[in-house]
């Protein structure tokens, strides 16, 4: 705290040689009063001065704690200011505004990028975001095809003797007809049909053909539209395909693949039972037990085959599983057989009119004819026993099963070209196939 101490008369604080009132200047004791010196100019004539009155002046001043700082002059507000002083406030204000704006903008950008890079902790989609159109698929996409065809595919269950059998099938007419494999039914004359939505109904067997492995059912209450048929004769290796069915009792299972081969001849059947021959469409689409009787579709959703056989490395049939080798009956063959069953109750079998030599393969490849039925298709085409058939309708023949499967694929009355070898002579002939009269 500053304090102001009192003092006796003497030199004033500014250091000027002044004399306080009542104090005489330097003089000797014998000096005259007239020689008294006064520090104010009119001291001799001042009426208030009393020379005999002792005078004391007390001055209180702050004790300086640091060197005295000269006082700044008070500026005149009306005086003109230099040009530099007039510009300085504007520059300062501009700098402040730019700084504030830069800070706000930088903070906003920083928050935006940080929020973008930071994972959201909110579960689910933003309510303001429109949900993806899950059910909206182009009609020609795989999902669109499946959505359209799936309601026409069914699960087929039948009681066969002491056990039961499970497979697949599909609706082929508005009257309630369905197609499946003959081996799915076993020895049963009835079946239970389960639609894709779980609704179950009973079905009766209209007819069946053991050798072609095809059967026709009729449901009591048909609920769905029939499938569309494709043309299996125009299918090419590499075409994309879709399989639908109930593998291992897993209903509504959809798999996809490509056509791996055409007219793949397959011989199948149970020991002591009917031997079946297929000139099949081979596919790598996943097909397992329970897919039998289900449709093989093209990418337009048209049925081009009926899944019927799989190739497996398992030693036991019950352990067989998909290894990418599945075979389907061409739909042109299946449609013809099914239509005949619906119309007449049975299907015709196509024959060449010859017995085949099964003792061993022919020398140089091909299938040797043992005998020819008189006035049969082969006989009328000029073929004789001992001739070796090397090609049938352009397909090479390596064993008897090849010829049987390719003949039964065709409809009676179809004309095919047969290339054969008689001794050292190669020749060809046109054969008009016929229906078996037995």
């Amino acid at each position: 705290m500053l304090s102001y101490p009192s003092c006796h008369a003497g030199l004033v604080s500014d250091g000027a040689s002044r004399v306080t009132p009542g104090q005489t200047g330097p003089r000797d004791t014998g000096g005259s009063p007239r020689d008294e010196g006064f520090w104010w100019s009119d001291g001799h004539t001042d009426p208030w001065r009393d020379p005999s009155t002792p005078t004391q002046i007390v001055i209180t001043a702050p004790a300086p704690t640091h060197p005295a700082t000269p006082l700044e002059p008070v500026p005149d507000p009306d005086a003109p200011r230099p040009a530099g002083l007039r510009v300085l406030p504007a520059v300062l204000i501009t700098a402040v505004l730019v700084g504030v704006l830069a800070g706000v903008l930088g903070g906003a950008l920083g928050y935006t990028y940080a929020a973008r890079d930071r994972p959201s902790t909110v579960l689910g989609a933003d309510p303001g975001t429109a949900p993806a159109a899950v059910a909206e698929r182009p009609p020609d996409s795989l999902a669109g095809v499946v959505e359209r065809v799936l309601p026409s595919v069914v699960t087929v269950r039948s009681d066969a003797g002491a056990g039961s059998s499970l497979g697949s099938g599909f609706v082929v007419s508005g009257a309630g007809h369905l197609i499946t494999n003959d081996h799915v039914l076993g020895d049963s004359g009835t079946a239970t049909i389960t639609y894709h939505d779980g609704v179950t109904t009973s079905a009766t067997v209209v007819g069946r053909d053991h050798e072609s492995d095809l059967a026709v059912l009729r449901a009591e209450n048909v609920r769905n539209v029939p499938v569309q048929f494709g043309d299996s004769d125009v299918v090419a290796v590499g075409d994309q395909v879709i399989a639908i069915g109930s593998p291992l009792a897993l209903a509504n299972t959809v798999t996809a693949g490509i056509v791996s081969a055409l007219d793949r001849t397959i011989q199948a059947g149970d020991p002591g039972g009917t031997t079946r021959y297929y000139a099949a469409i081979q596919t790598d689409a996943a097909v397992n037990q329970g897919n039998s009787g289900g449709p093989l579709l093209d990418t337009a959703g048209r049925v081009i085959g009926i899944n019927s056989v799989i190739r497996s490395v398992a030693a036991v049939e019950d352990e067989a599983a998909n290894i990418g080798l599945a075979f389907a009956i061409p739909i042109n063959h299946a449609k013809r057989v099914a239509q005949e069953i619906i119309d007449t109750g049975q299907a015709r079998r196509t024959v060449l009119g010859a017995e085949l030599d099964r003792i061993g393969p022919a020398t140089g490849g091909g299938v040797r004819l043992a005998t020819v039925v008189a006035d049969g298709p082969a006989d009328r085409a000029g073929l004789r026993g001992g001739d070796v058939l090397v090609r049938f309708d352009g397909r090479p023949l390596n064993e008897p099963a090849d010829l049987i499967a390719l003949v039964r694929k065709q409809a009676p009355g179809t004309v095919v070209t047969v290339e054969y070898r008689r001794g050292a002579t190669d020749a060809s002939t046109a054969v008009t196939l016929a229906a078996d009269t037995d």
Side-chain angles (χ1 to χ4, degrees):
M1 180 179 64
L2 296 179
S3 62
Y4 301 92
S6 60
C7 62
H8 294 289
L11 298 179
V12 294
S13 62
D14 59 359
S17 297
R18 296 180 181 177
V19 181
T20 58
Q23 175 76 39
T24 60
R27 58 189 176 101
D28 59 25
T29 56
S32 171
R34 221 186 324 265
D35 295 332
E36 292 179 356
F38 299 94
W39 59 273
W40 66 99
S41 59
D42 55 349
H44 296 283
T45 59
D46 185 357
W48 298 98
R49 180 180 63 87
D50 183 1
S52 63
T53 301
T55 303
Q56 184 179 16
I57 298 176
V58 179
I59 300 174
T60 304
T65 58
H66 54 78
T69 302
L71 298 177
E72 294 290 339
V74 178
D76 184 359
D78 297 329
R81 291 180 295 175
L85 296 180
R86 293 196 300 270
V87 175
L88 184 59
V91 173
L92 292 176
I93 293 174
T94 303
V96 171
L97 291 177
V98 170
V100 172
L101 180 60
V104 173
L105 181 59
L109 291 176
Y111 177 82
T112 300
Y113 283 104
R116 185 187 64 180
D117 296 336
R118 183 175 63 249
S120 175
T121 58
V122 179
L123 302 182
D126 184 352
T129 303
V134 176
E136 297 296 331
R137 294 291 187 274
D140 57 347
S141 66
L142 293 183
V145 169
V146 171
E147 183 180 10
R148 185 171 66 253
V149 178
L150 192 61
S152 298
V153 181
V154 300
T155 299
V156 180
R157 291 181 173 84
S158 64
D159 294 327
S164 61
S165 177
L166 182 144
S168 305
F170 52 96
V171 180
V172 295
S173 78
H177 294 103
L178 303 99
I179 293 180
T180 187
N181 280 135
D182 176 70
H183 74 261
V184 170
L185 300 179
D187 297 329
S188 177
T190 60
T192 299
I193 304 301
T194 303
Y195 292 98
H196 77 293
D197 56 3
V199 175
T200 299
T201 186
S202 60
T204 58
V205 178
V206 176
R208 56 200 303 177
D209 183 55
H210 300 299
E211 291 189 356
S212 63
D213 196 17
L214 293 168
V216 177
L217 306 176
R218 186 168 184 176
E220 295 297 333
N221 298 302
V222 64
R223 302 177 59 251
N224 301 313
V225 297
V227 298
Q228 289 184 328
F229 289 109
D231 185 355
S232 54
D233 289 340
V234 300
V235 174
V237 174
D239 284 349
Q240 289 184 313
V241 290
I242 306 168
I244 304 180
S246 302
L248 308 179
L250 300 174
N252 305 325
T253 296
V254 179
T255 57
I258 63 169
V259 173
S260 303
L262 296 171
D263 287 330
R264 182 72 75 187
T265 55
I266 302 295
Q267 179 179 342
D270 299 326
T274 302
T275 300
R276 301 182 173 98
Y277 298 91
Y278 306 86
I281 299 172
Q282 180 180 329
T283 178
D284 67 347
V287 173
N288 289 280
Q289 295 184 35
N291 273 114
S292 292
L296 184 69
L297 311 169
D298 63 15
T299 54
R302 299 169 298 198
V303 179
I304 60 171
I306 300 176
N307 300 310
S308 303
V309 182
I310 62 174
R311 180 68 61 85
S312 176
V313 296
V316 182
E317 182 179 357
D318 291 343
E319 298 176 357
N322 168 67
I323 57 172
L325 297 172
F327 307 92
I329 301 172
I331 196 59
N332 289 5
H333 180 195
K335 180 181 178 181
R336 174 179 60 82
V337 172
Q339 191 65 59
E340 289 179 352
I341 290 175
I342 293 173
D343 293 341
T344 66
Q346 61 182 6
R348 297 178 297 168
R349 186 179 62 175
T350 306
V351 295
L352 177 65
E355 292 290 332
L356 306 182
D357 185 354
R358 297 174 181 269
I359 296 177
T363 302
V367 177
R368 178 180 289 108
L369 300 181
T371 61
V372 174
V373 177
D375 199 31
D379 183 39
R380 289 192 295 266
L383 296 174
R384 297 185 305 193
D387 290 344
V388 177
L389 308 188
V390 295
R391 284 183 177 274
F392 180 89
D393 199 27
R395 274 75 167 179
L397 301 173
N398 298 308
E399 56 186 34
D402 294 341
L403 181 59
I404 297 171
L406 291 171
V407 167
R408 293 186 179 176
K409 172 187 173 182
Q410 305 296 330
T414 302
V415 179
V416 296
T417 300
V418 175
E419 298 178 27
Y420 65 97
R421 184 174 64 250
R422 181 177 294 169
T425 304
D426 293 333
S428 65
T429 185
V431 179
T432 302
L433 302 176
D436 189 4
T437 57
D438 294 343

